[in-house]
């Protein structure tokens, strides 16, 4: 029964042709980069043009990737942790990351996404999920050392489950037939968003430019929020205790001018003219906080597409 359950999970997790990952050339000779074709200049350009108000995320991400990709034999996998409120661009940036690192972009069979709601829904099955997840990670690292693993909504992950992959994030694990240290792990979470928002609000109240916000201004508060959250997937996690996260990537709350950029960008993608009356109507229809000052969008740009349809 357990074996059948494991096979079922593998089929659910996989995309079309998942076992095509077992490329014989890659396995035997370990010389295939599995369609890993990083174009960091294009990534930086895409982030600059299409991700609004996120100078910290852009800086941290590009810097980390340049260092990692430029190292022929990394000492450990690259582990990134995205933090910020919903609608600030975390999912979009992760898709750009995949787009500019792999030849087939988001269709690449070497990119694996996990959602706690979809893949690990039942708390009573955590032990089984652990076995399946470890097997999935190890088998795909054996097939392709340049694999990427994206874990969404870590704040909804069952605490303790993610610890099963701890050995794969360090420098001393051995995966037969593969240099697993070339892999990339990305954790995405809303946790720490309130701490980030408070820092951004304090800068605004002090009349400081948001571009002056540094990682050191937000990282300690993010870490504190995450480790204090008993519902978070990193609660009492060895990943946190062993400091296996290489880079915290914070996403700042969005100002009305950033929302306007989102509206114009969405209209362009829809092939529509960017009429200013429509742009302002959509922007003004969002809820902003704090209630008295209305500085930041409560939902970022998440509802922009829906609101455009409403006002058309």
């Amino acid at each position: 029964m357990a074996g059948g359950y494991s096979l079922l999970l593998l089929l659910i997790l996989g995309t079309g042709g998942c076992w095509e990952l077992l490329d014989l050339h890659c396995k035997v000779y370990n010389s295939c980069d599995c369609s890993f074709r990083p174009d960091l200049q294009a990534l930086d350009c895409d982030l600059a043009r299409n991700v609004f108000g996120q100078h910290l995320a852009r800086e941290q991400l590009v810097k980390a990737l340049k260092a990692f990709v430029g190292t022929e034999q990394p000492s450990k996998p690259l582990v990134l942790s995205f933090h910020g409120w919903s609608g600030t661009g975390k999912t979009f940036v992760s898709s750009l990351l995949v787009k500019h690192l792999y030849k087939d972009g988001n269709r690449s069979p070497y990119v694996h996404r996990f959602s706690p709601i979809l893949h690990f829904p039942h708390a009573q099955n955590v032990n089984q999920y652990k076995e399946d997840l470890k097997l999935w990670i190890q088998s795909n690292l054996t097939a392709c050392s340049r694999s990427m693993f994206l874990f969404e909504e870590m704040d909804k992950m069952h605490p303790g489950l993610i610890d099963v992959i701890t050995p794969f994030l360090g420098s001393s694990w051995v995966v037969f037939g593969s240099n697993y240290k070339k892999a990339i792990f990305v954790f995405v979470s809303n946790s720490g968003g309130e701490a980030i928002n408070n820092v951004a609000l304090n800068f605004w109240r002090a009349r400081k430019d948001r571009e002056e916000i540094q990682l050191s201004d937000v990282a300690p508060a993010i870490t504190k929020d995450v480790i204090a959250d008993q519902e978070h997937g990193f609660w009492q996690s060895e990943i946190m205790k062993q400091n296996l996260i290489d880079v915290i990537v914070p996403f700042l709350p969005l100002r009305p001018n950033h929302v306007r950029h989102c509206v114009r960008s969405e209209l362009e993608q829809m092939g529509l003219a960017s009429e200013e009356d429509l742009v302002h109507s959509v922007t003004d229809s969002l809820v902003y906080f704090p209630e008295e000052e209305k500085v930041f969008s409560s939902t970022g740009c998440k509802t922009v597409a829906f609101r455009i349809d409403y006002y058309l």
Side-chain angles (χ1 to χ4, degrees), residues 166-187:
T166 299
F168 299 111
L169 307 184
S171 59
S172 57
W173 192 252
V174 175
V175 178
F176 179 75
S178 173
N179 182 3
Y180 78 100
K181 297 174 185 177
K182 292 183 177 182
I184 298 175
F185 291 81
V186 182
F187 300 105

Side-chain angles (χ1 to χ4, degrees), residues 29 53 69 89 100 122 146 208 258:
Y29 299 104
V69 172
H100 294 295
H122 306 297
R146 285 290 190 184
K208 293 181 180 180
H258 301 129

Side-chain angles (χ1 to χ4, degrees), residues 52 56 110 162 165 169 187 201 210 221 229-231 240 286:
F52 310 112
L56 269 180
Y110 308 110
I162 202 67
I165 74 167
L169 307 184
F187 300 105
L201 185 59
R210 69 189 277 129
D229 185 355
Q230 297 184 27
E231 302 298 321
M240 300 298 290
L286 269 63

Side-chain angles (χ1 to χ4, degrees), residues 64-128:
L65 285 167
K66 282 183 177 178
F68 183 72
V69 172
T71 303
E72 187 175 347
Q73 296 295 332
S75 60
K76 66 182 292 295
L78 177 61
V79 184
L80 306 170
S81 191
F82 291 6
H83 296 270
W85 262 19
S86 178
T88 52
K90 300 184 300 297
T91 300
F92 181 55
V93 169
S94 67
S95 70
L96 293 182
L97 187 61
V98 173
K99 172 184 174 182
H100 294 295
L101 289 183
Y102 293 87
K103 179 183 176 182
D104 299 319
N106 287 286
R107 297 189 307 274
S108 174
Y110 308 110
V111 177
H112 312 276
R113 291 179 173 82
F114 301 89
S115 163
I117 295 175
L118 178 62
H119 299 125
F120 316 115
H122 306 297
Q124 65 269 27
N125 294 332
V126 164
N127 289 334
Q128 184 63 60

Side-chain angles (χ1 to χ4, degrees), residues 170-244:
S171 59
S172 57
W173 192 252
V174 175
V175 178
F176 179 75
S178 173
N179 182 3
Y180 78 100
K181 297 174 185 177
K182 292 183 177 182
I184 298 175
F185 291 81
V186 182
F187 300 105
V188 181
S189 171
N190 289 342
S191 292
E194 188 170 347
I196 296 170
N197 293 350
N198 287 336
V199 171
L201 185 59
N202 289 336
F203 267 70
W204 179 83
R205 285 172 174 165
R207 298 182 183 275
K208 293 181 180 180
D209 195 280
R210 69 189 277 129
E211 276 69 34
E212 294 181 44
I213 300 175
Q214 301 295 313
L215 183 62
S216 57
D217 294 316
V218 293
I222 293 172
T223 302
K224 183 178 179 181
D225 275 10
V226 170
I227 63 178
D229 185 355
Q230 297 184 27
E231 302 298 321
H232 198 282
F234 283 145
W235 167 249
Q236 295 186 337
S237 170
E238 286 299 315
I239 294 173
M240 300 298 290
K241 292 177 182 177
Q242 296 181 31
N243 297 311
L244 294 176

Side-chain angles (χ1 to χ4, degrees), residues 138-175:
Q138 183 152 332
S139 63
N140 282 284
L141 283 175
T142 302
C144 174
S145 62
R146 285 290 190 184
S147 294
M148 177 185 289
F149 302 93
L150 283 158
F151 292 87
E152 302 169 353
E153 298 182 298
M154 281 297 298
D155 43 309
K156 297 177 182 177
M157 181 81 72
H158 300 297
L161 195 162
I162 202 67
D163 265 6
V164 75
I165 74 167
T166 299
F168 299 111
L169 307 184
S171 59
S172 57
W173 192 252
V174 175
V175 178

